Amino acid sequence: MLHPDFRINTPTITTPASGGIAPAADGGQFAAVFRDTRQEIVALIDQGFPAGDEALTPQGLLLRQRAQAAAAPLPLDGSHLDAQQQAFLGDILPHAQKAARALGVSPDIIAAHAALESGWGQAPLRRADGSSSHNLFGIKAGQGWRGERIAALTTEHQDGVDVKQVAPFRAYADYDGAFADYVSLLSSSPRFKAVQGVGSDAAAFAAVLARGGYATDPAYASKLQQTVNRLRGPA
């Protein structure tokens, strides 16, 4: 779960499902970038992606990474997962795929992150009435959060010791809101923006979260990679 000192005033960001690029304040600069990127997209559609990265602009490279991530399948053959795990993945699959397209990350990494934070859906953060908060990623509610919040018991690693404490967390009406906020957090925060475009590289994704202080657990990156490997199954 997010470090207790992690306080980001996360803006409301609409992330187009197609991975579009939002206009910049400088209309002239944006027009030039948009023109070049549009031409690149047309060329990619007509000719396919080039073999090397050197032929792509940074915007085009990100587009390719997002397209590759969106095309990556989420393994659900069930041979290595129990029934509950399969049911959980089935519930979140559409949301994980949508988030994957927005971030340029393989959907199985997104699903594994949700599985790690929620105990494969068995330990979700709940409201006082027992209903699910739909917060699958353990995102805390800092001072900048304007949505619903709940109080929940969490374990933080402080000075080499695990300490249990009650902390405020974000709550959502549904999984759509939860995954949209997750994408907004990772794509807008300087701490986590580097996850964008890592594709299927679970080690790179986990390393960015660890460096950014997503969790206080010093073994968090390793645990996330293990969960990805669990989801992917035998090599």
Side-chain angles (χ1 to χ4, degrees):
M1 295 183 181
L2 284 180
H3 189 284
D5 295 331
F6 186 78
R7 297 291 183 265
I8 286 184
N9 185 4
T10 307
T12 301
I13 297 177
T14 302
T15 305
S18 62
I21 301 173
D26 185 340
Q29 181 179 12
F30 170 72
V33 172
F34 180 80
R35 182 179 61 253
D36 294 342
T37 304
R38 182 179 183 280
Q39 292 172 350
E40 195 166 354
I41 294 172
V42 172
L44 292 174
I45 293 173
D46 291 340
Q47 304 168 20
F49 289 110
D53 294 345
E54 66 279 357
L56 296 175
T57 64
Q59 292 81 12
L61 179 58
L62 181 56
L63 285 170
R64 186 175 74 173
Q65 291 168 331
R66 286 179 172 175
Q68 291 171 335
L74 182 61
L76 283 172
D77 61 9
S79 62
H80 59 289
L81 302 174
D82 62 36
Q84 185 279 319
Q85 290 171 340
Q86 292 182 57
F88 172 71
L89 292 174
D91 287 342
I92 69 169
L93 175 58
H95 308 287
Q97 290 175 323
K98 184 176 181 179
R101 288 193 294 270
L103 293 171
V105 176
S106 178
D108 56 3
I109 295 178
I110 304 297
H113 196 192
L116 174 63
E117 283 287 348
S118 68
W120 292 86
Q122 292 298 288
L125 294 168
R126 295 191 178 279
R127 297 178 173 87
D129 63 3
S131 63
S132 175
S133 70
H134 299 100
N135 186 342
L136 294 178
F137 298 99
I139 302 178
K140 285 192 171 73
Q143 294 179 352
W145 174 245
R146 296 293 178 261
E148 181 186 358
R149 61 179 63 207
I150 60 171
L153 184 66
T154 183
T155 301
E156 303 295 349
H157 192 82
Q158 299 177 359
D159 299 322
V161 179
D162 287 337
V163 179
K164 292 188 179 298
Q165 56 187 233
V166 175
F169 290 86
R170 302 180 186 187
Y172 312 94
D174 49 35
Y175 283 153
D176 278 339
F179 277 81
D181 189 48
Y182 174 74
V183 169
S184 177
L185 173 65
L186 295 192
S187 60
S188 64
S189 168
R191 298 191 186 193
F192 306 126
K193 288 178 68 174
V195 302
Q196 296 180 95
V198 301
S200 61
D201 191 339
F205 184 91
V208 171
L209 294 189
R211 287 196 304 269
Y214 194 95
T216 57
D217 184 351
Y220 193 79
S222 176
K223 291 178 179 179
L224 179 53
Q225 290 183 67
Q226 291 173 9
T227 307
V228 173
N229 292 338
R230 170 64 177 160
L231 194 156
R232 290 176 176 173

